[in-house]
Amino acid sequence: MRWMWIDRVVELVPRQRLVAVKNVSLAEEHLHDHFEPVVTDDGRIVRPAMPIMPASLIIEGMAQAGGILVGHAEEFREKVILAKVSRAELSREATPGCQLRYTAEIKSFSHAGAGVSGTVELAEPSAEPETIGLIELLFSHLDRNMAGIEYPEHNFVFGEGFRTLLRTSGIID
Amino acid sequence: MQREEIFEKVKGVLVEALAVDDDEVTPDATIFNDLGAESIDMLDIGFQLEQAFGFKIEQGEMFPEGVTSDPEMVQDGKVTEAGLAMLRQRAPHIDLAALEADPRLEKVRDIFTVDALATFVENKLKAS
């Protein structure tokens, strides 16, 4: 089972936009390995260490949201892989109990791949969601690579983990 | 659109896509060797040029693909006359003089300069 970093797709406009949510839970093991304090330049601790979701996994969540959007555009026939993180800016940390909302939009699309622009929102349990990040990603259709390298016919990108998510989100039967 | 304006927009795209400094993007700088582009960056550069100039770019249009792996185009580590003819036909924006003088395979990556990319854009704008 591959790591899934989104819990559900809540909106899908084919070839345009996909919205997915991720609930950050203290039951997730990675949080117990990632405690970060906030320290000023002169070494003063302004917030003690607490479990936070690593920024790299937030980017992965956006990549999964964007990857599904790009894959859906060609009915999951293409092997869609993340080729480049063009930009990633996150302004605050995600802690247990919050919900992340990823909105991925296709900016460019060709038979070789797609450019996706993403917005990350964070909602605390009793607060309005706020935008905490902008992430721009480039996806490649693996079988259309410039080097002409051939890969197995089986679509190993959209495997069982993704298919389960797509089923529970009502995107596929 | 004037050549200077095209060049400045192309420069902006390359600075953004390749995370290079403004002053590195000179007309003679080569996209792959001097600016460090990898093959996947061509997709990114293509998308950004499409957005900046409002035209559509087909795969392999900026820089022909498959030259180096085609035995008709490359023999004994050198680009053949057929390979040069294909490049002349499919990439009229690229100055091939240096490759014609020294057709060694490793020189292929040197022919794609910032100036060639600006000429590619200029030709596309004229044709549209």
Side-chain angles (χ1 to χ4, degrees):
Chain A
M1 173 81 182
R2 90 185 258 161
W3 263 3
M4 296 306 301
W5 293 102
I6 53 182
D7 293 332
R8 183 168 294 187
V9 176
V10 295
E11 185 186 338
L12 173 61
V13 182
R15 302 180 80 92
Q16 290 182 33
R17 187 176 69 252
L18 181 145
V19 182
V21 294
K22 155 74 183 160
N23 294 304
V24 181
S25 165
L26 197 53
E28 292 172 285
E29 275 192 31
H30 73 278
L31 287 167
H32 298 271
D33 295 328
H34 198 253
F35 280 66
E36 290 286 332
V38 175
V39 184
T40 58
D41 288 343
D42 57 2
R44 203 161 39 87
I45 295 175
V46 291
R47 197 215 64 201
M50 61 166 70
I52 59 169
M53 181 164 170
S56 54
L57 292 180
I58 295 179
I59 295 170
E60 173 63 21
M62 179 61 79
Q64 293 186 357
I68 292 171
L69 175 62
V70 174
H72 184 271
E74 298 290 341
E75 297 172 343
F76 301 108
R77 284 190 301 268
E78 296 287 353
K79 301 179 185 85
V80 178
I81 58 155
L82 177 63
K84 187 170 171 179
V85 179
S86 305
R87 181 188 301 270
E89 295 170 9
L90 292 165
S91 60
R92 61 163 284 191
E93 294 153 339
T95 50
C98 76
Q99 184 181 71
L100 294 169
R101 192 177 177 89
Y102 299 114
T103 300
E105 292 183 292
I106 289 181
K107 291 296 181 199
S108 314
F109 193 93
S110 76
H111 73 290
V116 165
S117 185
T119 307
V120 185
E121 291 169 285
L122 183 148
E124 294 289 357
S126 55
E128 287 295 306
E130 62 171 307
T131 299
I132 65 155
L134 298 170
I135 298 173
E136 289 177 15
L137 304 170
L138 189 72
F139 293 91
S140 171
H141 291 152
L142 196 58
D143 293 328
R144 320 280 178 171
N145 67 88
M146 275 179 75
I149 298 169
E150 291 187 17
Y151 291 90
E153 198 174 322
H154 165 66
N155 195 333
F156 48 82
V157 175
F158 295 108
E160 197 47 43
F162 269 113
R163 301 198 75 78
T164 301
L165 172 67
L166 295 172
R167 268 194 295 274
T168 54
S169 299
I171 294 172
I172 61 171
D173 294 329
Chain B
M1 196 181 293
Q2 295 298 311
R3 174 77 181 197
E4 200 173 315
E5 195 184 340
I6 291 171
F7 186 85
E8 285 307 310
K9 281 178 104 167
V10 168
K11 182 194 270 193
V13 164
L14 293 172
V15 165
E16 184 76 16
L18 303 176
V20 290
D21 290 333
D22 259 33
D23 56 5
E24 290 179 79
V25 189
T26 60
D28 292 336
T30 61
I31 307 280
F32 294 113
N33 287 346
D34 294 335
L35 302 184
E38 295 178 24
S39 60
I40 197 65
D41 293 314
M42 299 302 286
L43 184 61
D44 196 6
I45 291 167
F47 281 153
Q48 291 202 35
L49 289 177
E50 285 181 349
Q51 284 178 2
F53 294 100
F55 50 57
K56 192 84 189 146
I57 301 171
E58 300 302 325
Q59 191 173 3
E61 197 181 346
M62 278 192 297
F63 190 77
E65 294 173 16
V67 183
T68 54
S69 55
D70 187 334
E72 206 181 310
M73 307 293 171
V74 176
Q75 278 170 17
D76 301 325
K78 289 181 179 173
V79 180
T80 62
E81 197 44 55
L84 288 167
M86 185 277 276
L87 287 170
R88 267 182 225 113
Q89 194 236 325
R90 280 175 46 190
H93 50 285
I94 296 177
D95 181 354
L96 295 174
L99 191 64
E100 284 163 346
D102 181 359
R104 281 179 297 158
L105 190 54
E106 58 264 35
K107 296 291 174 187
V108 170
R109 288 167 67 88
D110 288 340
I111 61 176
F112 195 40
T113 60
V114 177
D115 202 45
L117 191 57
T119 303
F120 169 78
V121 170
E122 196 173 20
N123 292 351
K124 290 280 285 182
L125 291 173
K126 276 182 196 158
S128 61

